[in-house]
Amino acid sequence: FKTAPAELFAAKPQLVPAAKCSPMAGCCCTSSHGDAGYEMQMPHMPFVGHATQVFTGTIGMSDGEIGPNFNMITHSALLHSGQWSDGLFDLCSDWKTTLCAFFCTPLLTYSMLRKSGTVKFAFGDLDKTKWLGIFLLLVLAMVAVYYVGGVGPSYTYMNVPDANGRSVPISICLGTVVILLLLWLLSFSVLKGIRDKFLVVEADWWTCLKSCCFVAPNVVGVSCMPCAYAQASRHVDRLQGW
């Protein structure tokens, strides 16, 4: 609590019979006053002028995995800070996580969900097993669309020359677009779920932007997603003691 109203300090405690002392009416503290069974009751009033979140226990310990370096003070401090433990581009602080985020994002995602436990997303709870099932299903759907030659109308977005100098169109079909959008939604759900579970204050539009992957006309990927996943993974590791 940061501040307390002056009325709290001016208020005088009242002795009331124990049977009439209700937690709903005020804050009671047990006191012995002979055989009458009296308790001390303070008037019920707020301590702060703005909303303050109350924590009951720790977060991520009941269903997540705790590492050998877990520290309760660090865990609580990170929860109360309302921020990521470091910046989006602090990639040099953990090279192993950074390399995994850029070259094996699914493995890092599974590891994050294993350590953090179940998170919330648009369609209910999401844990490592459910995420893995959805991800593999989308990958198989992508492979199936490729082998059948596309599903739905196609859009040619560029032409590249082959070995004989002939122009070969590069196109993308509607089925592929739908699968890519679902993969992005899954990516966004993981980041948002971890963000909300560990009480990080961040706008949805920024989390959405960080989970996107843009493709320029020259087929060069421009994405913050690996950086965002590395940031979230470092945060979970520090919270859970890994």
Side-chain angles (χ1 to χ4, degrees), residues 3-152:
T3 59
E7 306 88 60
L8 178 64
F9 300 103
K12 296 181 179 180
Q14 300 175 357
L15 294 179
V16 299
K20 296 182 179 180
C21 186
S22 170
M24 297 300 294
C27 180
C28 299
C29 304
T30 304
S31 177
S32 59
H33 292 274
D35 297 329
Y38 283 93
E39 292 187 354
M40 184 174 292
Q41 184 179 38
M42 291 295 293
H44 178 72
M45 56 182 64
F47 283 87
V48 293
H50 55 81
T52 301
Q53 187 151 11
V54 178
F55 302 102
T56 56
T58 55
I59 297 176
M61 292 184 63
S62 59
D63 56 347
E65 293 188 9
I66 301 301
N69 302 317
F70 179 80
N71 183 286
M72 183 67 72
I73 297 177
T74 302
H75 184 92
S76 299
L78 288 174
L79 288 178
H80 284 273
S81 70
Q83 300 177 355
W84 296 110
S85 58
D86 58 10
L88 180 63
F89 299 109
D90 291 336
L91 302 176
C92 298
S93 59
D94 188 346
W95 280 108
K96 180 181 178 181
T97 299
T98 300
L99 292 174
C100 193
F102 275 87
F103 299 104
C104 196
T105 309
L107 178 62
L108 184 66
T109 305
Y110 186 86
S111 176
M112 275 197 302
L113 291 174
R114 176 177 58 85
K115 296 171 184 175
S116 65
T118 304
V119 299
K120 299 290 184 182
F121 81 128
F123 304 102
D125 295 336
L126 183 67
D127 58 12
K128 62 181 187 297
T129 304
K130 185 180 293 185
W131 172 86
L132 183 61
I134 297 173
F135 177 76
L136 292 177
L137 182 63
L138 291 175
V139 170
L140 290 175
M142 181 76 77
V143 173
V145 169
Y146 173 79
Y147 274 102
V148 300
V151 175

